[in-house]
Amino acid sequence: MPKPTLGSDPGTVRGSDPKRRIGVLISGRGSNLQAIIDATVDRRLDAEIAVVISNRPDAAGLKRARDAGIEALVLEHTDKAKFASREDYDAHLVRVLKERQVHLVCLAGFMRLLTTVFLDAFPNGVVNIHPSLLPAFPGTNAQYQAWAHGVKWTGATVHLVTTELDAGPIVLQDTVPVKDSDDMETLAARILETEHRLYPLAIQLLLSGRWRLEGRRFLGHP
Ligand code: GRF
């Protein structure tokens, strides 16, 4: 089985390791973005955040990026004058990321499905965090789905992104207990703590290159 490639050749970037340049896509609060920023500052994560892009102008995560001195851009998918189709939007995103020589794209609450125009530009190079133990509870409101279903354990999953929603190879997972006293908010907060720990670990693992895919099985440990 050939070793999977992560992204395409990013060329050279003065003063930084091009293989460690990541882009983060957000749509809202940006707490996972913050966890990634904090991990790079603490050097738990050996990566450089080249750019943060939001599809929504009101995303609170934009300020988190700017406060950390990271370039933060808004690309509104609703701008029909610029983007006639999903593919047009994705092609533009790819251009912006490639211009900044991004090697790995991290989705952190980015509320849009990506087309093959995007995914083909970053082979095995797009990763997402989801607030459940996939394949249980894909889609939106995963924390609520788990709580309402009555599971005793849920968790968080970092997975590679494919065209199928929340269904790509699983990079890392961790469990979170559901307590009898939990309401939606307390459960979501506990899951979020796990997300914040898990995502930087998974990005570090992906950037290390010490992993391989066998079918849809991701083999490699932090
Ligand atoms: C997180 O729960 C993440 O798992 C999901 O969207 C949420 C984003 O939260 N994909 P934040 O913007 O990172 O705070």
Side-chain angles (χ1 to χ4, degrees), residues 146-158:
W147 179 81
H149 192 91
V151 295
K152 300 298 184 194
W153 291 88
T154 182
T157 303
V158 178

Side-chain angles (χ1 to χ4, degrees), residues 28-33 108-109 111 128-131 143 192 195-196:
R29 177 177 60 180
S31 71
N32 278 288
L33 164 67
M111 299 298 284
N128 183 43
I129 181 135
H130 184 80
Q143 305 95 325
L192 199 59
E195 291 184 44
H196 294 165

Side-chain angles (χ1 to χ4, degrees), residues 98-119:
K98 293 281 181 186
E99 274 166 15
R100 286 153 184 80
Q101 303 189 326
V102 163
H103 187 59
L104 175 70
V105 181
C106 305
L107 309 184
F110 186 62
M111 299 298 284
R112 270 187 78 72
L113 288 176
L114 292 165
T115 66
T116 50
V117 167
F118 191 92
L119 296 175

Side-chain angles (χ1 to χ4, degrees), residues 3 16 62 77 91 94 137 154 203 214:
K3 195 175 183 315
S16 68
L62 289 164
H77 64 278
V94 168
F137 312 123
T154 182
I203 296 169
E214 274 182 15

Side-chain angles (χ1 to χ4, degrees), residues 143 146-147 154 176-178 182-191:
Q143 305 95 325
W147 179 81
T154 182
V176 172
V178 183
D182 269 333
D183 57 26
M184 264 304 302
E185 279 70 38
T186 56
L187 178 58
R190 193 174 309 117
I191 295 170

Side-chain angles (χ1 to χ4, degrees), residues 4-8 19 21-25 94 97-98 101-107 114 118-128 158-162 169 171 199 202-203 206-207 211 213 218:
T5 54
L6 178 60
S8 59
K19 290 229 154 52
R21 288 173 71 82
I22 65 174
V24 184
L25 306 191
V94 168
L97 290 162
K98 293 281 181 186
Q101 303 189 326
V102 163
H103 187 59
L104 175 70
V105 181
C106 305
L107 309 184
L114 292 165
F118 191 92
L119 296 175
D120 290 351
F122 295 97
N124 292 325
V126 185
V127 65
N128 183 43
V158 178
H159 65 93
L160 296 179
V161 177
T162 60
V171 177
Y199 210 2
I203 296 169
L206 284 164
L207 293 179
W211 56 275
L213 286 176
F218 179 101

